[in-house]
């Protein structure tokens, strides 16, 4: 986003959309229990939140829940939205990562491979790849439209500050690979993606 808006959620089961320039929040209600995780789209219009295994897709400008999505067998621990708001990604205690169509609520793909809780997910800016990390001490790079993955062993579980660091590294590697590819250097691009 542009740094003018923020989201929060918590024990009051509400999502709050903050206008940081005015110092005011709009409250969006709809969850039945704690809001565990939340993410805003790049355009500051759409958001996704999770409470236990339930996801809600919001148009925060219209103050409206557009869709409620169910599908995880465990608590949702991380969410992300694509740049255009068309897709959502979620990670869960059920050890899966799921890709959702926000317009229909349909699960487009379930990614399996983690042996522990999935604690962090992020989407590439181009919407073709995702990264997940979890308590099994792995980070997995998923190719969303193919379903293939690459796995990377880590020294500790991916959570908290490490999750943010891994997500930043992922975006940096994708940018390096994109630049190498545009410079007609496919081998160099492959090195950045492995």
């Amino acid at each position: 986003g542009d740094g003018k808006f923020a989201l929060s959620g918590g024990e009051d089961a509400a999502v709050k959309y903050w206008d940081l320039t005015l110092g005011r929040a709009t409250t969006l209600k709809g969850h039945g229990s704690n809001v565990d995780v939340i993410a805003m789209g790049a355009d500051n219009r759409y958001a996704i939140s999770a409470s236990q295994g339930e996801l809600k897709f919001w148009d925060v400008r219209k103050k409206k829940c557009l869709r409620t999505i169910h599908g995880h067998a465990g608590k949702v621990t991380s969410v992300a939205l694509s740049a255009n708001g068309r897709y959502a990604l979620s990670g869960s205690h059920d050890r899966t990562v799921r890709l959702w169509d926000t317009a229909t609520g349909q699960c487009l793909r379930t990614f399996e491979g983690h042996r522990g809780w999935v604690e962090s997910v992020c989407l590439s800016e181009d919407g073709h790849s995702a990264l997940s990390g979890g308590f099994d001490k792995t980070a997995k790079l998923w190719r969303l439209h193919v379903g293939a993955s690459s796995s990377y062993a880590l020294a500790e579980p991916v959570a908290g500050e490490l999750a943010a660091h891994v997500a930043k590294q992922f975006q940096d590697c994708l940018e390096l690979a994109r630049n190498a590819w545009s410079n007609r250097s496919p081998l160099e691009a492959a090195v950045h993606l492995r």
Side-chain angles (χ1 to χ4, degrees):
D2 57 12
K4 295 179 183 176
F5 301 95
L7 292 172
S8 65
E11 293 179 2
D12 62 356
V15 171
K16 292 191 178 170
Y17 177 62
W18 294 88
D19 182 326
L20 300 176
T21 57
L22 298 176
R24 290 191 213 139
T26 301
T27 301
L28 309 171
K29 296 192 177 201
H31 283 293
S33 63
N34 297 354
V35 176
D36 298 311
V37 291
I38 193 163
M40 188 174 345
D43 63 359
N44 295 322
R45 179 174 179 180
Y46 297 109
I48 187 139
S49 59
S51 175
Q52 297 301 315
E54 174 187 83
L55 296 154
K56 289 198 176 282
F57 181 60
W58 304 89
D59 183 326
V60 292
R61 289 187 192 153
K62 291 183 178 179
K63 304 173 189 166
K64 181 178 178 183
C65 177
L66 300 175
R67 184 151 328 277
T68 300
I69 303 169
H70 297 274
H72 280 289
K75 179 180 176 178
V76 175
T77 53
S78 187
V79 292
L81 271 179
S82 64
N84 62 7
R86 171 114 194 253
Y87 302 104
L89 192 70
S90 58
S92 169
H93 280 184
D94 67 9
R95 302 178 180 183
T96 67
V97 175
R98 294 180 187 255
L99 179 67
W100 306 92
D101 182 323
T102 57
T104 65
Q106 179 182 2
C107 180
L108 300 174
R109 193 174 295 271
T110 299
F111 301 97
E112 297 176 328
H114 280 285
R115 291 175 291 153
W117 296 346
V118 177
E119 287 294 317
S120 181
V121 297
C122 67
L123 284 162
S124 63
E125 288 181 17
D126 65 9
H128 295 288
S129 302
L131 185 70
S132 61
F135 268 45
D136 60 357
K137 299 181 183 179
T138 65
K140 295 193 178 293
L141 176 64
W142 306 95
R143 287 159 189 81
L144 298 179
H145 303 292
V146 190
S149 72
S150 300
S151 187
Y152 304 92
L154 303 172
E156 58 187 281
V158 177
E161 287 184 28
L162 181 60
H165 178 73
V166 168
K168 172 74 172 102
Q169 294 285 35
F170 171 62
Q171 292 295 344
D172 291 347
C173 286
L174 284 175
E175 184 63 28
L176 289 169
R178 192 175 297 117
N179 290 340
W181 187 262
S182 66
N183 290 331
R184 303 207 187 306
S185 236
L187 289 176
E188 183 183 340
V191 166
H192 292 297
L193 291 176
R194 64 180 174 98

